[in-house]
Amino acid sequence: MAEALLEVKDLVAGYDGTSVLCGVSLEVEAGSIVAVLGANGVGKTTLNKVLSGIVRPQRGEVIFDGQRIDRKSPADIVAAGLVHVPEGRKLFPDLSVRENLELGSYRRGKAERARTMEQVLTVFPRLKERFAQRAGTLSGGEQQMVAIGRGMMGQPRLLILDEPSLGLAPRLVEEMFTLIGRLNEVGLTILLVEQNVMQSLELADAAHVMEHGCLVLSGTGAELAGNSELAKTYLGM
Amino acid sequence: MTSLDILAAAVLNGLMSGAVYALIAVGLTLVYGVLHIINFAHGAILSAAMFAAYLAFQAGVDPYVAMVPLALIFFGLGYGLQRLVIGPASHGDDRNILLITLGLSIVIENLLLAVFNSDTRTVDVAYGFSTLDLGFTFLALPRAAAFGVSCLVAVLLWILLAQTDTGKAIRAVAKEKLGASLAGIDVAHIYAVTFGLGAACLAIAACLLLPTYYVHPRVGNAYVLVAFTIVVLGGMGSIPGAIAGGLFVGVVESLSGLMFGESLGQLGIFVIFILVLLIRPTGLFGAKA
Ligand SMILES: Nc1ncnc2c1ncn2[C@@H]1O[C@H](COP(=O)(O)OP(=O)(O)OP(=O)(O)O)[C@@H](O)[C@H]1O
Ligand SMILES: [Mg+2]
């Protein structure tokens, strides 16, 4: 079996001494899409924050590309190739679209940055039209494009997307899932946190369901999609 | 001199001292805008910078010559202070940072007192009483230089923040710390750069003040009290606000000095301060609440 790009072992983490995650273990194969699903407040974002170095785990290991990253700074984790596009976008509202994107590859050289920018604008031609506009004045869909574009500017190998379809109209949600599939086809490994369960399962190679900070069900996307009991019990559908 | 000439001269002089106020306030508001803390050590660092400029003068270096090297040294000191002392000791809690800067100010002031005791010192520069003849009034040369340099620093700072990668990262961290971390920006480094810039502003202000002002271990506090007023007037964290507020306060001080006598010059500042707080608590130039 090929070694996983991301390996999470028995992760316990939380805030102010209390634990949210109860010993999460999962693997993400290079080139795959892995979905983490679950109701509000179960700890999905907390897991992402541990992976990107924002929250220090209380126990467990995060191994990315053969390297322990759970004690590294967020900037070093980005440099290692793991980028987390946060829930709620967290753009720089006063800065232009261009500046927002550029800051995603803050540590790289000008030439490399220009090349990556070219790629991002090919994926999101709409952003080229909005290049000089302040990010805070963009529509929700455009802001999500900037957030993902800023993440891509870091030249990640693993992209974590935390609820990328949040707050988007149904048609845009559809587009977002198409886009995620396309990003995966061109070689990005994706860890997807979503509330749109069926669409996520359709896209995902593997999926996990989280409840109270624990992964309670795992399988391929197709397996979980066919499990009607699962939908009722864990996802409130 | 007609009374109009006197008024014009007072406004002009107000703008001259206001520019240095603005420089000190810019350092304070920059740190507030990015780190979201009031740096209580600002006054003590200004005092330290004035002693540094004083020592340079004793060693035969003119304050205007010492300005650039001292700005660089104080940038480094400020950077190190934030990176090695304030940042690690605060454990990410803003209240801790507040207390640490307060503690630092006490340490710095007492070190200055221990080394230099509480004598008031002045320097004698050849151009101390040189003036520019503007026709309707004479302008003290050191004050005109202070105005010019302060404006130059404001322009350089604007270029830094608007055009450079570091400047953009500073603006990014100011508004969205989590987003900045996730984009790969080293927030601890940006905090330290910002703190260093604040200290560099103080070093420049110190060199501008030295030819016309006295040096004392607590000299910085008087200035920082006015600077704090300016930061609030200009809107906390707003650099254009601090510049406009600084010039405004300089003119108010000068005009109220003209009307009520030199010693009551600062009365006008605080009266206006209280009025603004009552009428427009977000500051004259700040965003509406
Ligand atoms: N900074 C924080 N400090 C304290 N508790 C927090 C913090 N962030 C999240 N929590 C708590 O941790 C738990 C898990 O939150 P988390 O954001 O990880 O959930 P989530 O699965 O992402 O939910 P959602 O689907 O609503 O985004 C919640 O009970 C939340 O209140
Ligand atoms: Mg969440």
Side-chain angles (χ1 to χ4, degrees):
Chain A
M1 192 180 98
E3 198 175 285
L5 180 60
L6 178 76
E7 207 177 330
V8 177
K9 288 185 190 164
D10 194 27
L11 206 60
V12 177
Y15 308 92
D16 306 316
T18 65
S19 302
V20 173
L21 301 182
C22 69
V24 170
S25 300
L26 65 84
E27 287 190 3
V28 178
E29 298 287 329
S32 66
I33 299 181
V34 173
V36 174
L37 310 168
N40 288 117
V42 298
K44 306 181 298 293
T45 297
T46 303
L47 171 64
N48 291 347
K49 283 184 174 171
V50 175
L51 300 182
S52 51
I54 301 291
V55 171
R56 288 260 167 272
Q58 293 151 356
R59 204 180 73 202
E61 290 179 17
V62 181
I63 298 159
F64 178 68
D65 199 20
Q67 246 187 330
R68 281 283 291 266
I69 58 166
D70 45 85
R71 298 282 144 193
K72 286 196 174 187
S73 74
D76 286 340
I77 290 174
V78 170
L82 189 161
V83 175
H84 166 190
V85 177
E87 184 178 0
R89 297 141 197 165
K90 310 291 178 198
L91 299 181
F92 313 127
D94 296 339
L95 273 59
S96 68
V97 168
R98 179 202 186 125
E99 289 170 325
N100 267 274
L101 293 175
E102 283 174 349
L103 284 170
S105 64
Y106 171 68
R107 289 225 218 160
R108 312 214 183 239
K110 287 259 190 286
E112 206 177 337
R113 189 189 294 181
R115 213 172 333 114
T116 322
M117 180 74 85
E118 200 62 43
Q119 291 165 2
V120 170
L121 292 179
T122 317
V123 177
F124 300 111
R126 178 93 141 270
L127 295 185
K128 213 182 304 187
E129 297 159 28
R130 305 269 166 209
F131 220 34
Q133 191 172 330
R134 284 181 51 223
T137 64
L138 296 172
S139 77
E142 289 164 345
Q143 290 195 13
Q144 191 60 54
M145 291 180 198
V146 177
I148 295 178
R150 185 179 68 185
M152 289 168 63
M153 288 296 291
Q155 302 180 357
R157 277 179 301 149
L158 175 65
L159 194 64
I160 300 177
L161 298 174
D162 196 342
E163 307 215 18
S165 70
L166 191 69
L168 300 187
R171 193 177 53 79
L172 288 180
V173 172
E174 202 64 53
E175 275 179 30
M176 183 56 67
F177 279 97
T178 311
L179 170 80
I180 295 168
R182 251 175 65 214
L183 291 179
N184 180 244
E185 274 163 26
V186 298
L188 259 178
T189 307
I190 289 171
L191 182 63
L192 176 66
V193 165
E194 259 297 340
Q195 305 256 8
N196 279 303
V197 174
M198 280 311 160
Q199 274 155 308
S200 304
L201 289 179
E202 234 168 80
L203 201 60
D205 299 300
H208 304 272
V209 178
M210 186 180 270
E211 195 178 65
H212 300 307
C214 311
L215 297 185
V216 292
L217 248 181
S218 302
T220 65
E223 277 167 14
L224 294 199
N227 184 339
S228 60
E229 201 54 34
L230 144 92
K232 260 191 243 125
T233 320
Y234 294 114
L235 303 171
M237 289 172 69
Chain B
M1 262 166 76
T2 67
S3 58
L4 200 64
D5 284 346
I6 294 175
L7 193 67
V11 169
L12 197 65
N13 268 302
L15 288 174
M16 300 296 119
S17 38
V20 181
Y21 287 156
L23 187 56
I24 298 167
V26 161
L28 196 59
T29 213
L30 184 64
V31 169
Y32 179 83
V34 179
L35 283 75
H36 307 294
I37 51 141
I38 293 164
N39 173 17
F40 281 119
H42 208 60
I45 297 173
L46 177 58
S47 303
M50 287 194 69
F51 272 102
Y54 176 81
L55 289 179
F57 180 81
Q58 296 294 328
V61 185
D62 185 89
Y64 296 112
V65 177
M67 192 151 55
V68 171
L70 279 182
L72 292 175
I73 290 170
F74 270 76
F75 174 83
L77 287 174
Y79 186 99
L81 215 53
Q82 167 62 32
R83 191 87 204 227
L84 304 174
V85 181
I86 303 174
S90 68
H91 299 285
D93 186 332
D94 288 352
R95 278 166 307 180
N96 293 347
I97 304 183
L98 218 64
L99 290 174
I100 292 160
T101 63
L102 194 60
L104 269 177
S105 77
I106 295 170
V107 170
I108 295 171
E109 265 178 21
N110 284 288
L111 277 177
L112 292 174
L113 272 170
V115 177
F116 298 101
N117 63 49
S118 64
D119 293 343
T120 298
R121 299 153 198 255
T122 53
V123 302
D124 260 320
V125 288
Y127 47 79
F129 294 99
S130 308
T131 54
L132 294 172
D133 187 353
L134 297 181
F136 64 98
T137 185
F138 293 96
L139 193 60
L141 194 60
R143 288 163 70 81
F147 182 80
V149 171
S150 298
C151 292
L152 182 67
V153 171
V155 170
L156 290 177
L157 207 56
W158 182 81
I159 293 174
L160 173 83
L161 290 174
Q163 304 294 331
T164 69
D165 282 350
T166 304
K168 289 172 188 174
I170 290 174
R171 284 156 58 214
V173 170
K175 281 288 161 64
E176 183 45 72
K177 190 174 135 190
L178 175 60
S181 292
L182 293 178
I185 295 170
D186 183 347
V187 173
H189 169 72
I190 293 298
Y191 273 10
V193 168
T194 306
F195 207 88
L197 287 174
C201 286
L202 292 176
I204 294 169
C207 292
L208 296 175
L209 289 171
L210 190 68
T212 55
Y213 212 73
Y214 66 87
V215 185
H216 180 275
R218 294 225 169 82
V219 63
N221 291 337
Y223 276 97
V224 169
L225 186 60
V226 175
F228 180 69
T229 315
I230 292 166
V231 167
V232 175
L233 283 179
M236 307 280 287
S238 160
I239 289 180
I243 293 171
L247 296 174
F248 176 73
V249 159
V251 171
V252 167
E253 180 187 42
S254 177
L255 289 180
S256 63
L258 189 67
M259 281 184 278
F260 311 120
E262 203 63 51
S263 57
L264 288 180
Q266 295 207 330
L267 185 66
I269 301 175
F270 296 108
V271 169
I272 289 201
F273 182 57
I274 291 166
L275 286 178
V276 168
L277 282 188
L278 288 175
I279 299 163
R280 241 187 100 87
T282 55
L284 280 180
F285 311 94
K288 292 190 179 78

